[in-house]
Amino acid sequence: MFQNVSNDSALGYAQLQEQPLNILHIEDSVADQALARLHLQRGLPACTVTPVDTLQDAGQALSTQNFDLVLADYHLPGFTAIDVWDLVRALPAPPPFVLLSGAIGESAAVDIMRLGISDYLLKDQISSLPHVIKRALEVHEARRARHRAMQELAASEKRLAELTEHLHTSIEQERASISREIHDDIGGSLTAVKFDLAWLLRNTPQGPMQSHARSALEMLEHALGASQRIMQNLRPPVLDQGLVAAVQWLASDFERRSGVPVRLRLSREHMDIAPALQLVAYRTAQEALTNISKYAQASRVDIELSDQEGFLTLEVTDNGVGLSAGAREKPQSFGLRGLSERARTVHGWLDISSQAGCGTSIIISIPLDASATSVQA
């Protein structure tokens, strides 16, 4: 019947004891009212007891006063403690509820405890009433503290999710801006220099001058290639052609660079997907392929992209060495965590299935009706 509570709960009750306790006692027997008051005054001298004997008076008292605890008999004329409990739990902040009754069956006691009533005590054990009330208050305070902590945690997680979404948005906007600058400014300037060097090569006689011009042109070609790779990694223009084209480009580029064959399966050749969802799926595929090239030692990669049954689903699977049991829990494993957080920004989720020596499968699923307008492509 009684539960152990922590020192924090006891401290909460000690703080509560600094103020007098206001107790509502629902009892139709004047003698039992007096006996309960006597024991309460002995064990809890600062308490104030308000006795009532009808359901209407109980409702009136609960609506006009704040009680620290409700004490009630089980059987009363025309109603039971369950009716009183219905009134109590409808309150914005229900106080603890203790049942003080005569003979009550064990099954009935279990049933009322399941309803949320704090505790019960038989009248022939009324000397324990102060102790039962103290314990009910301690447990109640501990539950309130836990509820507050959970609310604060939920609020903190919400703020963290909003910050993550803001960071992803800012990063993607900055990537798009840098990519445009590389394309418009650096790329244009390098291309102009390339034409000038090509003219010099055509119009310079054989000798050291032409040799230097040819070497400069080779270096320039290298710089142009590097700028193209950087621009593609930041935000490939192929994304403007849709997710299917972007994933096809990723697969072919990975296959060309790594030599690992990639099999791509699509639910359809063209998918009408919101740009924000396309970007999240693309970044997931990009990160998955990057991890495969760095760590997996795979000889085959499968990519499946589907927009069926109301979900955008991307699965990237390899036959490599797989992830060890603790790899995903490493403090510095930000890549996989970042994918999971990115999925949450569009109300999706990420699943990673892996076994050492048997490859890895990364799946992202996103509702196609996800409200993801805050993430800019």
Side-chain angles (χ1 to χ4, degrees):
M1 179 169 65
F2 303 126
Q3 305 176 33
N4 291 326
V5 294
S6 67
N7 291 334
D8 290 341
S9 300
L11 179 61
Y13 175 71
Q15 294 171 341
L16 186 64
Q17 281 289 79
E18 295 176 3
Q19 299 296 328
L21 295 177
N22 192 15
I23 298 175
L24 176 64
H25 187 195
I26 304 155
E27 173 62 66
D28 62 317
S29 168
V30 176
D32 287 345
Q33 286 181 7
L35 187 59
R37 183 187 296 273
L38 176 64
H39 285 286
L40 287 171
Q41 289 175 344
R42 287 177 179 173
L44 298 167
C47 74
T48 299
V49 180
T50 301
V52 297
D53 58 5
T54 69
L55 186 62
Q56 182 178 357
D57 289 344
Q60 178 68 20
L62 289 168
S63 64
T64 57
Q65 299 183 54
N66 292 322
F67 292 98
D68 299 304
L69 182 133
V70 175
L71 183 66
D73 194 0
Y74 185 74
H75 291 289
L76 297 119
F79 67 102
T80 70
I82 304 302
D83 299 310
V84 180
W85 171 239
D86 289 337
L87 297 176
V88 171
R89 65 181 176 180
L91 297 172
F97 189 107
V98 174
L99 190 65
L100 177 63
S101 184
I104 181 172
E106 183 175 344
S107 60
V110 171
D111 289 340
I112 62 174
M113 294 295 286
R114 284 176 178 169
L115 292 176
I117 290 175
S118 304
D119 213 333
Y120 75 93
L121 181 68
L122 298 178
K123 286 184 177 179
D124 58 6
Q125 299 172 343
I126 198 169
S127 61
S128 300
L129 182 59
H131 175 72
V132 171
I133 287 179
K134 289 178 183 178
R135 187 55 57 94
L137 290 168
E138 290 173 358
V139 171
H140 181 70
E141 182 61 23
R143 287 174 177 168
R144 288 179 59 191
R146 180 174 179 271
H147 180 67
R148 287 193 298 268
M150 291 178 66
Q151 286 183 318
E152 291 172 2
L153 178 61
S156 176
E157 289 178 343
K158 184 175 182 293
R159 290 192 297 270
L160 180 60
E162 291 171 349
L163 175 61
T164 300
E165 183 174 350
H166 172 72
L167 290 175
H168 280 307
T169 301
S170 299
I171 290 170
E172 292 300 340
Q173 290 174 341
E174 189 65 22
R175 281 183 170 187
S177 176
I178 295 173
S179 178
R180 283 192 296 268
E181 288 185 18
I182 292 174
H183 179 271
D184 298 340
D185 297 338
I186 299 176
S189 298
L190 290 176
T191 302
V193 174
K194 178 181 177 181
F195 288 144
D196 288 341
L197 286 172
W199 184 89
L200 284 174
L201 275 175
R202 290 193 304 271
N203 294 278
T204 302
Q206 292 289 338
M209 183 71 71
Q210 191 179 74
S211 176
H212 281 293
R214 184 175 291 106
S215 177
L217 186 59
E218 290 175 357
M219 292 298 297
L220 186 62
E221 291 285 1
H222 175 77
L224 278 169
S227 67
Q228 287 292 325
R229 287 194 303 273
I230 293 170
M231 186 175 64
Q232 293 284 0
N233 285 331
L234 287 172
R235 187 189 181 279
V238 72
L239 264 177
D240 296 329
Q241 302 176 31
L243 180 60
V244 171
V247 173
Q248 286 174 332
W249 177 83
L250 270 179
S252 61
D253 182 65
F254 173 84
E255 195 171 73
R256 177 180 56 80
R257 289 186 294 104
S258 67
V260 177
V262 179
R263 182 174 61 175
L264 176 61
R265 289 176 290 179
L266 306 168
S267 62
R268 65 184 76 194
E269 289 298 322
H270 176 73
M271 301 179 186
D272 187 14
I273 307 296
L277 308 191
Q278 293 185 42
L279 185 60
V280 172
Y282 175 83
R283 292 300 184 201
T284 301
Q286 185 182 46
E287 180 70 22
L289 290 174
T290 298
N291 287 340
I292 291 171
S293 65
K294 287 182 177 179
Y295 311 115
Q297 303 174 34
S299 61
R300 189 186 72 251
V301 175
D302 293 290
I303 301 176
E304 184 171 350
L305 182 64
S306 169
D307 63 346
Q308 302 298 310
E309 299 180 357
F311 287 89
L312 173 63
T313 304
L314 172 76
E315 181 175 2
V316 182
T317 304
D318 67 74
N319 66 343
V321 297
L323 296 174
S324 62
R328 279 173 277 181
E329 304 302 324
K330 288 182 179 178
Q332 302 300 320
S333 61
F334 296 120
L336 297 178
R337 293 178 188 174
L339 291 181
S340 182
E341 290 300 323
R342 187 185 287 273
R344 291 181 187 178
T345 64
V346 288
H347 311 289
W349 58 93
L350 188 81
D351 181 67
I352 302 173
S353 175
S354 182
Q355 187 174 357
C358 297
T360 301
S361 177
I362 295 178
I363 305 174
I364 185 173
S365 297
I366 307 170
L368 287 174
D369 61 352
S371 175
T373 56
S374 59
V375 181
Q376 300 297 319

